[in-house]
Amino acid sequence: MATQSKIQGTGIILGFLLASFVAEFSTGALADPPPIYPATGNSISTPAGDPQARVGRISLIDGTVSFHTPDQDQWSYATLNYPVVGGNSFWTEPGARAEIQAGSTALRLDGGTETNIDELDDHGLRAEVSQGTVNLHVGAMAAGEAYQITTPHGVINVLQSGTYRITTGENVPDEVAVLRGAAQVTQAGDPGDTLTVAAGETASIPPDKPSSVSMQATVPTVFDNWSLTRDNYEEPRQTAHYVSPEMTGYEDLDNYGIWSTEPGYGAVWVPSAVPVGWVPYHYGHWVWVSPWGWTWIDEAPWGFAPFHYGRWAYFHNHWGWTPGVIATRPVYAPALVAFVGGNGWSVSLGIGEQPVGWFPLGPGEVYHPGYHVSRDYVRHVNITNVRNVTDITHVTTVQTANASFANRRFATVVSAKDFSASRPVDKAALHVSADRLAAAPVAATSAPPVAHDRHFISGTRAPAPPVAPHAPTVVNSVTEKPAAETRSNAPDHAPGPPIRHRDTTAGASWNRATSVPSPAVVQRNMVASPASIQTRPVANIRQTTARPAPREISVQHPVQTAPLTPSHEGWVRRQPTAAPAASTPRTEPHNEQSHGGEHSDQRGQVPNH
């Protein structure tokens, strides 16, 4: 009986503690900083069929930058905050620059650069640079990730986090400069010899004489220093206390808002300069991005992270964004909103026109994807903002349609025609009374009842493309696709080189599973010894038949007297600080007259006789 009483008493205590924990976790405010939840990332694999957790975004456009998706046969103007995934292609006119950011990784394009993003997902980045110059900054390189740049003459695999510049073209040498980190260059052809480039070195590989490889000390360029200013701008500061650096778009928040801790919400970010009456998901437009479907593109320079992660709350007569608990690799969503409309609901529109509306989800409200996903995906995309896991996995679509939403009265409504044409929402928004909004049914999933026309190219209208003499003539690797049918409201084409229809068959894929180890790094006479470089397995590039084993290219390496160091003035070579000389006892001046010509010993003292 005594033992049974002890067990019962222990059970009561544990039950009380568990109930207290659940109550605090369900209703209490987040700590400052919030806890870290390793919901996604390399520790959890993405189930087959689920979209990737990580995407990139177009984070900077300076000058004329063109863009197209795999199913488009014409260039359109690039749009700020457009999500970047595998299959996207970019072209910067001479004198223009662009930046693609994905978490702590940034790929920057100098003028006259053509780049194809072959893969950008939870496992890293693989891009093809056909011509021009790119700067790749890898802030963090987790186990299992790979970063690779392919040129007409070879493949560059990143071995460490760091900063890299690659210049290439059909008839110009490949130039691979490592400002910080280490890279391995694999030459095109058989046997595909390799070269390891360490920090502070630049390899030059002629296209016509692959064996004539030279190596020099890296001389930073204007583009290198401009890219470094972007790195300094994106350096984690206050925002790093509240979100993961792998949240795409986080780096802009410090410059456009302030952070605070609010009871019931935890960490909250408030935008500092928005129009009177501003509402989330009102200043921007909708586009179709596969595989997610309709995706929100916000026009604010900071308008990526707060519209694809977290939730929005309205308090103290203003809006605040709540990121929730910190996830190691947060899961991207196309738009964290609930849609209204359908079932006979209508507003004052023309005959045959249908309205579509939406409002931002609030803290604790479950996001139900309108695209095909697994149950695990629904949990991962919600877990940082919905603290009760039961709410995520057991809320049915019927319950969602009948739920009470905190931000429903702030819904934005446009016609389905304006929605599908990607027109600016703030100019197409309809005035709808509060009574009509209250009567609007909420869709069971976050997908509007709007059809997608795959032939429509959204974006800013652009003039017809000029002839690009700097663009190489390329023979397409697959049958040329017929020109897509255009609609009267589709934009004209943006400038750019001939679109390259790349072979995306399995034989040309990035085979991570059959990766081969990198050759050993050769010891060189450098200030920073490359013997400390930890080589990583790199992808087996299009190896379908047996061929000779690659060899490490023998080349004369430069002697660096000082390492490259980033500074606010740019990349500089700082001489190592000389160690202070060892102190020695003071030596008395020698005076032959006073000491009768006797000499002092090694301690500067006159011996006694």
Side-chain angles (χ1 to χ4, degrees):
M1 293 293 293
T3 303
Q4 183 178 1
S5 300
K6 289 182 179 180
I7 294 174
Q8 291 177 345
T10 304
I12 293 172
I13 294 173
L14 291 175
F16 175 80
L17 293 175
L18 179 60
S20 301
F21 172 78
V22 171
E24 180 179 1
F25 185 70
S26 300
T27 60
L30 292 175
D32 186 14
I36 296 177
Y37 172 73
T40 59
N42 298 313
S43 60
I44 294 180
S45 60
T46 303
D50 280 351
Q52 62 208 52
R54 180 172 72 162
V55 303
R57 69 151 179 157
I58 303 175
S59 51
L60 183 140
I61 299 172
D62 183 6
T64 301
V65 180
S66 303
F67 159 86
H68 76 80
T69 59
D71 58 344
Q72 294 174 346
D73 289 307
Q74 300 294 342
W75 295 93
S76 61
Y77 281 139
T79 304
L80 190 69
N81 290 324
Y82 196 98
V84 178
V85 295
N88 295 162
S89 299
F90 297 88
W91 164 254
T92 54
E93 284 285 290
R97 283 173 178 166
E99 179 185 76
I100 300 167
Q101 187 256 348
S104 60
T105 298
L107 180 67
R108 302 180 178 104
L109 284 62
D110 204 358
T113 299
E114 182 184 4
T115 301
N116 304 314
I117 306 298
D118 292 328
E119 292 188 23
L120 197 168
D121 54 23
D122 307 327
H123 304 287
L125 167 68
R126 181 167 66 100
E128 175 188 350
V129 181
S130 303
Q131 58 178 317
T133 301
V134 298
N135 178 288
L136 175 63
H137 174 77
V138 180
M141 193 169 177
E145 290 185 345
Y147 295 84
Q148 181 186 95
I149 301 293
T150 301
T151 73
H153 315 307
V155 177
I156 299 95
N157 284 285
V158 169
L159 302 179
Q160 292 181 352
S161 60
T163 304
Y164 307 84
R165 169 174 37 88
I166 297 99
T167 300
T168 189
E170 286 288 340
N171 301 310
V172 299
D174 273 5
E175 187 174 275
V176 181
V178 177
L179 292 100
R180 185 166 51 184
Q184 183 187 78
V185 181
T186 302
Q187 292 182 323
D190 292 328
D193 293 339
T194 62
L195 174 67
T196 303
V197 188
E201 293 184 339
T202 298
S204 180
I205 308 169
D208 52 345
K209 296 181 179 179
S211 60
S212 302
V213 177
S214 62
M215 190 86 76
Q216 304 86 27
T218 298
V219 178
T221 65
V222 173
F223 183 56
D224 291 333
N225 290 332
W226 174 83
S227 298
L228 181 60
T229 62
R230 293 293 299 169
D231 291 338
N232 294 333
Y233 170 82
E234 296 166 3
E235 188 72 23
R237 298 186 296 277
Q238 188 178 8
T239 298
H241 296 291
Y242 305 102
V243 303
S244 166
E246 296 308 318
M247 175 182 286
T248 298
Y250 82 102
E251 72 283 350
D252 286 318
L253 300 183
D254 276 4
N255 296 293
Y256 291 97
I258 57 175
W259 286 94
S260 64
T261 301
E262 295 292 334
Y265 296 112
V268 176
W269 178 83
V270 178
S272 57
V274 293
V276 176
W278 182 88
V279 176
Y281 299 97
H282 188 83
Y283 292 87
H285 62 279
W286 293 91
V287 299
W288 183 273
V289 179
S290 295
W292 297 273
W294 289 112
T295 299
W296 176 255
I297 308 297
D298 202 84
E299 67 181 30
W302 49 267
F304 194 89
F307 298 97
H308 301 288
Y309 311 92
R311 301 291 190 272
W312 283 94
Y314 188 77
F315 57 94
H316 304 322
N317 296 321
H318 64 258
W319 287 94
W321 176 65
T322 62
V325 298
I326 298 176
T328 305
R329 177 66 59 77
V331 179
Y332 163 89
L336 292 157
V337 301
F339 284 95
V340 299
N343 294 331
W345 183 72
S346 64
V347 296
S348 298
L349 288 172
I351 298 176
E353 293 191 47
Q354 294 295 324
V356 56
W358 62 89
F359 56 83
L361 291 173
E365 295 174 356
V366 179
Y367 168 69
H368 289 276
Y371 41 95
H372 178 74
V373 294
S374 68
R375 186 169 180 155
D376 284 343
Y377 179 93
V378 177
R379 178 177 178 270
H380 294 155
V381 78
N382 281 286
I383 195 63
T384 56
N385 294 92
V386 182
R387 302 177 185 179
N388 192 335
V389 178
T390 303
D391 289 345
I392 300 174
T393 57
H394 290 86
V395 174
T396 65
T397 56
V398 175
Q399 290 173 320
T400 300
N402 297 325
S404 176
F405 293 92
N407 299 327
R408 183 169 181 167
R409 62 193 173 102
F410 298 104
T412 297
V413 180
V414 299
S415 71
K417 181 179 179 180
D418 288 336
F419 184 100
S420 62
S422 299
R423 293 196 174 98
V425 167
D426 63 304
K427 296 177 175 59
L430 304 171
H431 175 71
V432 181
S433 66
D435 293 341
R436 295 298 298 160
L437 285 177
V442 178
T445 61
S446 294
V450 180
H452 165 57
D453 183 351
R454 66 182 182 87
H455 294 313
F456 176 65
I457 303 176
S458 63
T460 306
R461 297 184 65 86
V467 176
H470 41 270
T473 301
V474 179
V475 178
N476 293 334
S477 58
V478 296
T479 303
E480 185 71 28
K481 295 166 60 179
E485 178 186 354
T486 58
R487 292 168 25 170
S488 59
N489 60 346
D492 296 327
H493 313 315
I499 287 183
R500 304 163 184 263
H501 297 291
R502 303 185 303 284
D503 185 3
T504 57
T505 59
S509 64
W510 191 11
N511 192 350
R512 302 185 190 90
T514 59
S515 59
V516 295
S518 305
V521 178
V522 179
Q523 178 71 34
R524 308 178 192 123
N525 184 15
M526 296 177 58
V527 174
S529 172
S532 61
I533 295 174
Q534 300 296 317
T535 60
R536 295 175 176 270
V538 297
N540 184 8
I541 307 303
R542 306 188 182 188
Q543 182 171 331
T544 57
T545 58
R547 63 181 187 181
R551 302 166 300 173
E552 178 77 9
I553 298 174
S554 176
V555 63
Q556 183 69 34
H557 297 275
V559 176
Q560 301 184 63
T561 59
L564 276 173
T565 306
S567 71
H568 290 291
E569 293 78 28
W571 290 95
V572 296
R573 288 192 181 273
R574 298 189 186 280
Q575 296 292 337
T577 303
S583 59
T584 55
R586 182 178 179 181
T587 303
E588 296 295 334
H590 177 65
N591 190 324
E592 293 186 359
Q593 293 181 349
S594 60
H595 295 287
E598 299 288 349
H599 295 285
S600 62
D601 65 7
Q602 292 181 358
R603 295 186 301 274
Q605 297 175 344
V606 178
N608 295 323
H609 295 284

